[in-house]
Each structure stands twice: as structure tokens, then as C-alpha cells.
Amino acid sequence: MDDADGAVAEGTRLGGLPYWLAAPQWPVDPYTNELASFMGQFRVRVGDGGDGDGHGDRVVYLFALGFSGEHATVVQPGGQVTKSVETRAAAIGPTALERVHLIRVDEEVDFAQVERDLAPVEGEDEDDREVRLEELLDELRKNAAGSIRMNQLGGPDVVPVWLQGDDLPGEDWQLVAQLDSYQLPFEVNFGDNGVGYLFLAPDGENAEFFFQSC
């Protein structure tokens, strides 16, 4: 494996097989008692990038559970798994896509920068400014590639583009990835034409995936 292949294997991608940072922890589908289908992995930088206090790179692994619309996540290092989901020490298992697929990001609007750049208006109070900002963000979202639907990878300043209302799993949770069911290279159950959202907790230990649908 050359350096380029290694970077792909270890990095953020859909399909293929997991590149485990620690001992394999493959979730078991509770409906079939078989290994769940691997969807993809997402490398995330937590904290300042590694200073001996437990911060640094994490990889969040995403799996689909049967046809129920449920999903499981594993975070390594640390080994945190979606609550009530069992795992097996299997390095390989079923995958949603045999070949590796790099995520195509269709929209690169920095919504946090839009907020920072919003010019003040004389006599405007904080509530009015918030309303004006939300209206501006809504327009940018609607104009993103002609639609509010989009794939994007997360980061400290990346704001989810919600298909429905704001549904953050907790304060300071970081968006890891937003996945549009229309644009994925394999079938998913995100409800009716849904968009999936993958988040990482502020401590970098737990991940949560959910979707919104039309």
C-alpha cells in the first residue's frame, strides 16, 4: 500500500471495510444477530490535536442496523459504542459498498463566517439581529446547489443544514458529517427522502447519528 492508498484507508470515506484504530468492535444487528452493515468512517480532530490529555484524532465508524432506520456508531480510540448495541471482535464484515467512496461535498458556505461578517444596523437590538441573521442563513441554505439538501463534512465551525428544525443532540456537539440520501452511492433508510446527521460529543468519546425526513 502506497502513501496515498494508506491515507484513503485511514481517512474519512464511505464503503470498503473499517480501518480500526484499536481492537475491532463490529456492532451486531439486534434484529438478525449478525454483523451490521458498515457504511463509512469519519476522522475527526478533537481538542488541540493531541497534547497528552486525551485529545487528538478520533475515528467515528457508522453502521446500519437492518432495515429499521436505526444506526450504530463506534468511536476509537476509546471504544464507545451506541448504547445497548453489542459488538464482536471482527475485523471484517458486511459493507454497504465494496469499493471505497470519497464523500463529495456540494456546499462550502461557512455559516459561522457569515454570522461574524454580518454588519451591524444602527438601533438594532440582539433579538432583531438574530432574526435578520436567521433569514440570511435560510436564504444561503436554500441557494446551496439549488437546494437545502447537501452532503458536507463537519468541523468546529460547520453548521448543519437542517431538513427540518434545529435538532442538536446537546450543547457544543460537533457535526461530523451530513449525508443526503439522494447523493449516497448506496441505499439507506433515512425515512422519506431524508438527510442523516452524525455528531460527536464535546469530550470526543461518544457519537450520535439520526436523520430528518420530509
Side-chain angles (χ1 to χ4, degrees), residues 18 20 23-27 35 63 87-93:
W20 299 105
Q25 296 172 280
W26 202 295
L35 296 179
F63 298 81
T87 64
R88 294 177 187 162
I92 61 175

Side-chain angles (χ1 to χ4, degrees), residues 96-187:
L97 190 69
E98 292 292 336
R99 60 182 176 80
V100 168
H101 178 87
L102 300 182
I103 298 174
R104 182 171 62 89
V105 178
D106 292 328
E107 165 56 28
E108 298 181 354
V109 174
D110 186 341
F111 294 110
Q113 188 63 48
V114 171
E115 181 175 5
R116 290 190 291 269
D117 292 343
L118 187 65
V121 172
E122 185 176 355
E124 183 179 55
D125 62 24
E126 188 62 28
D127 289 342
D128 289 340
R129 184 179 187 279
E130 286 296 324
V131 170
R132 184 162 61 92
L133 173 62
E134 189 58 36
E135 290 176 348
L136 176 59
L137 293 179
D138 281 344
E139 285 304 310
L140 290 173
R141 293 181 184 113
K142 291 174 183 177
N143 291 332
S147 170
I148 65 168
R149 306 183 62 90
M150 57 186 279
N151 286 333
Q152 67 171 346
L153 297 177
D157 294 322
V158 180
V159 179
V161 181
W162 299 107
L163 190 60
Q164 302 292 342
D166 187 324
D167 193 22
L168 286 172
E171 185 176 357
D172 296 328
W173 281 61
Q174 176 178 323
L175 179 70
V176 174
Q178 174 177 314
L179 304 175
D180 182 353
S181 59
Y182 279 150
Q183 299 182 27
L184 295 179
F186 46 77
E187 292 187 5

Side-chain angles (χ1 to χ4, degrees), residues 179-210:
L179 304 175
D180 182 353
S181 59
Y182 279 150
Q183 299 182 27
L184 295 179
F186 46 77
E187 292 187 5
V188 293
N189 184 356
F190 291 171
D192 185 12
N193 301 322
V195 174
Y197 303 88
L198 180 62
F199 285 89
L200 186 68
D203 61 7
E205 298 296 327
N206 294 286
E208 183 172 328
F209 181 85
F210 59 91

Side-chain angles (χ1 to χ4, degrees), residues 57-87:
D57 280 353
R58 299 283 196 277
V59 172
V60 181
Y61 306 88
L62 180 64
F63 298 81
L65 303 179
F67 299 100
S68 64
E70 298 176 57
H71 296 77
T73 61
V74 177
V75 180
Q76 288 191 352
Q80 296 296 324
V81 183
T82 298
K83 186 176 179 181
S84 300
V85 173
E86 297 181 357
T87 64

